[in-house]
Amino acid sequence: MSTAVVPSYPRHPTALAQQALTANLACDGRFTLGLGLSHKMVIEDMMGLSYAKPASHMREYLEVLVPLLKGEAVAYAGEEYQVAYKLALEESAAPSLVVAALGPRMLKIAGELSDGTTTWMVGPKTLREHIIPRISESAAAVGKPAPRIVAGLPIALTNNVEAAKKQINNDLQIYGQLPSYRAMLDREGAANPADIAIIGDEAHLKQQLDTFKALGVTDFNAAVIGVEPGAYKSTMDFLAAYKNS
């Protein structure tokens, strides 16, 4: 059980720690907390909060959150957060924590302070040349084990590839425009979201998933797209069979 990306700005780290620990207890220790910054258009333009220093915000947020998840008391004095707090919850192991990190500063922070990263709109070339080396180097520098790499991508089992690409580009158009994702697509040499989507028959899907596994991706976050009647179910059935193979 996991969240994909919970936006940090609208949630104080003490409140999120309470929620994550409670969820982890309910899931018998199987919960993964996915955390991220969201985007300027959401945080600043829609919510009216400052998005001036996103990386600094995330570092402070994690420096408060991580000890709380471990059951430790926090006495923290930062630029954004001043926290003196300890949670009184039933004793539980900390949930796994992955941070949506794409840029160099965020990958460094995620490697140092979390268990890994969760990506979106990131293809195999960018994972191999940018994401995995940077976060792995950061984790190793502070004596942490190899990080979890959660790769999120659109996926659809279909024989009508061109029609599927057209639908995906239409449905996911916004992700080709948001700056952080646009930068990842540009690194990959991809014009649109469909260019990094996993679309095709069973043999093609298996080959693509095998490629990601070989790169060092530890978890696959499947954004299943129902590109035609029955495609959602058939894709889910394929993924279940692949997981158990």
Side-chain angles (χ1 to χ4, degrees):
M1 302 293 293
S2 67
T3 58
V5 182
V6 175
S8 58
Y9 282 96
R11 298 164 177 85
H12 196 278
T14 60
L16 186 59
Q18 290 174 322
Q19 293 172 324
L21 286 168
T22 301
N24 199 39
L25 283 170
C27 296
D28 294 325
R30 296 179 292 108
F31 180 68
T32 294
L33 174 61
L35 178 69
L37 295 166
S38 188
H39 305 273
K40 179 183 180 295
M41 65 175 290
V42 176
I43 302 305
E44 195 161 287
D45 301 343
M46 296 172 65
M47 294 185 176
L49 302 172
S50 173
Y51 199 78
K53 299 179 179 180
S56 296
H57 159 84
M58 182 55 73
R59 179 173 287 280
E60 287 201 13
Y61 197 99
L62 292 173
E63 287 174 344
V64 174
L65 176 68
V66 171
L68 292 174
L69 293 178
K70 295 177 180 178
E72 301 170 2
V74 171
Y76 187 83
E79 181 178 340
E80 183 174 354
Y81 292 103
Q82 295 80 43
V83 178
Y85 202 77
K86 187 177 190 304
L87 291 172
L89 289 177
E90 181 179 340
E91 187 172 335
S92 171
S96 182
L97 171 65
V98 294
V99 175
L102 300 177
R105 287 186 67 192
M106 284 293 293
L107 288 165
K108 184 175 189 298
I109 292 166
E112 291 174 354
L113 297 174
S114 78
D115 299 314
T117 187
T118 178
T119 67
W120 177 242
M121 292 290 129
V122 178
K125 174 178 178 288
T126 304
L127 282 163
R128 181 179 66 251
E129 298 178 0
H130 171 60
I131 299 289
I132 295 175
R134 285 182 184 274
I135 192 171
S136 298
E137 180 182 3
S138 177
V142 295
K144 298 184 70 172
R148 287 179 67 182
I149 308 295
V150 183
L153 287 166
I155 184 169
L157 179 63
T158 180
N159 290 318
N160 196 346
V161 173
E162 291 308 313
K165 285 185 176 182
K166 184 176 180 179
Q167 180 178 328
I168 288 171
N169 281 333
N170 181 68
D171 292 351
L172 305 182
Q173 182 180 15
I174 185 63
Y175 296 113
Q177 300 169 355
L178 291 166
S180 57
Y181 298 139
R182 183 68 261 164
M184 295 301 103
L185 292 171
D186 289 344
R187 274 183 176 271
E188 194 72 18
N192 300 298
D195 293 335
I196 52 90
I198 301 175
I199 311 167
D201 60 17
E202 290 192 3
H204 180 74
L205 266 56
K206 182 180 184 303
Q207 184 270 325
Q208 290 294 299
L209 293 177
D210 287 347
T211 295
F212 281 101
K213 187 184 294 185
L215 287 175
V217 169
T218 59
D219 306 80
F220 181 65
N221 176 17
V224 179
I225 310 295
V227 296
E228 60 196 15
Y232 185 90
K233 183 179 185 306
S234 63
T235 305
M236 290 294 291
D237 290 344
F238 164 80
L239 289 168
Y242 181 85
K243 178 181 178 181
N244 295 323
S245 63

